[in-house]
């Protein structure tokens, strides 16, 4: 089994360093607040006029513009959206890094696909929490942690490895477990996971199930409850105790259908296309497409976002969530349900 680092395996080197967290979005707010609550000295780096600036100040953090923040810091974590990082890195970060600094990323895309180039006298590392930033923060507040990957891209000082691990501990990830990887492995598996399974595969599976029922004449609301809403309950069981825990909790009928129908849905054709998706990631073809898409102003990306938002599954879901929210506000046990 791969070595999983826990809190006891890791030192507190990070608490001795001045840390710049660039960006205050999903990951940025979680890193900055978790590090601060772990006793670290943090400044958030943003641009004047950023909507995030007042949010970071309200959270009690010091905020400054990126060049100034990088000059002050010894450890810099880049948490801007991946597609915004290259010009900001080139113009505002790289010129202000000093020999012996540690430059960190939370996803390897721009380093692995050569969209940024970190100066040779600067250490390079990766700390990639395996989950959304808001969950990274809430787990930390509950005294728990989110698992993370770490990698050392360059260790010019000889201290990078300990410091990268210590950063992962500072954001709470060593409470769950931290696993060593490389920029290549993290980048390729992260892109594959989100495309084939977590985001792309799952959204397409949910929509296909929903549409199949609706096309067959069943009520859309019922199709939504069955194919989308119930997923959370199923995933919670898998998260708790694997597929076995889910299969223990569902009926024997559901379990039997799982074994017989699952392989018909995800058949060899799907596996073959998953291998093609992986090959496009490994060859850099996906990266090139995404970089060019952004250079073109994201016109296809924004069109797809708009079209997907208008899908019937989203409209039905929004209506049902609004009803559930109304229900939750009405007094418990009230026979009238609080409705007029
Ligand atoms: P977000 O989109 O949530 O955060 C963007 C932040 O960057 C905002 O504070 C935004 O400010 C700021 N920003 C945008 N452009 C600039 C700029 N030109 N100069 C300065 N600040 C700017 O990003 P994510 O947290 O999703 O992603 C950050 C990194 O973390 C990425 O590398 C991503 O791959 C990685 N990651 C993300 C995960 C996630 O949970 N989302 C999971 C694991 C890794 P403003 O408010 O002004 O827009
Ligand atoms: Mg990702
Ligand atoms: Mg059922």
């Amino acid at each position: 089994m791969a070595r999983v680092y826990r809190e006891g395996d890791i030192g507190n080197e990070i608490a001795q360093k001045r840390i710049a967290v660039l960006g205050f979005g999903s990951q940025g707010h979680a890193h900055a607040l978790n590090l601060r609550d772990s006793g670290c000295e943090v400044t958030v780096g943003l641009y004047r006029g950023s909507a995030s600036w007042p949010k970071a100040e309200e959270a009690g953090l010091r905020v400054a513009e990126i060049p100034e923040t990088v000059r002050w810091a010894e450890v810099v974590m880049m948490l801007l959206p991946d597609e915004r990082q290259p010009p900001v890195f080139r113009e505002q970060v790289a010129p202000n890094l000093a020999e012996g600094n540690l430059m960190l990323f939370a996803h390897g895309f721009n380093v692995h696909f050569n969209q940024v180039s970190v100066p040779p006298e600067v250490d390079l590392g990766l700390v990639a929490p395996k989950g959304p930033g808001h969950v990274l923060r809430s787990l930390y507040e509950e005294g728990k942690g989110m698992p993370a990957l770490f990698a050392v891209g360059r260790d010019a000082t000889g201290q990078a490895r300990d410091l990268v691990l210590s950063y992962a501990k500072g954001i709470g990830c060593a409470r769950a477990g931290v696993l060593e990887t490389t920029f290549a492995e993290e980048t390729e598996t992260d892109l594959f996971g989100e495309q084939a399974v977590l985001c792309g595969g799952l959204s397409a599976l949910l929509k296909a199930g929903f549409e199949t029922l609706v096309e067959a004449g069943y009520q859309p609301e019922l199709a939504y409850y069955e194919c989308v809403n119930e997923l959370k309950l199923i995933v919670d069981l898998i998260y708790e105790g694997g597929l076995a825990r889910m299969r223990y909790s569902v009926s024997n009928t559901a379990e039997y259908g799982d074994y017989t129908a699952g392989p018909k849905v995800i058949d060899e054709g799907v596996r073959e296309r998953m291998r093609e998706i992986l090959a496009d990631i490994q060859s850099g073809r996906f990266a090139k497409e995404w970089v060019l898409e952004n250079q073109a102003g994201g016109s296809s990306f924004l069109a797809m976002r708009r079209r997907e938002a208008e899908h019937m599954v989203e409209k039905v879901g929004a209506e049902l969530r609004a009803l559930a929210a109304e229900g939750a506000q009405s007094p418990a046990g009230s026979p009238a349900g609080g409705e007029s």
Side-chain angles (χ1 to χ4, degrees), residues 202-254:
L202 183 64
S203 306
L205 180 69
L206 298 179
K207 283 193 301 176
F210 173 83
E211 285 167 355
T212 302
L213 288 179
V214 172
E215 276 165 26
Y218 297 100
Q219 302 173 67
E221 292 76 15
L222 192 154
Y224 191 87
Y225 282 139
E226 193 58 49
C227 294
V228 184
N229 195 61
E230 201 173 327
L231 183 73
K232 167 156 173 46
L233 314 175
I234 294 292
V235 169
D236 285 349
L237 292 168
I238 298 172
Y239 186 84
E240 266 173 47
L243 297 174
R245 171 95 183 92
M246 179 273 283
R247 286 163 172 166
Y248 166 79
S249 181
V250 301
S251 67
N252 288 341
T253 314

Side-chain angles (χ1 to χ4, degrees), residues 173-191:
C173 294
R175 293 169 179 173
V178 185
L179 189 73
E180 186 156 17
T181 183
T182 60
F183 275 79
E185 185 182 50
E186 186 279 334
T187 303
E188 292 167 2
T189 54
D190 186 79
L191 293 173

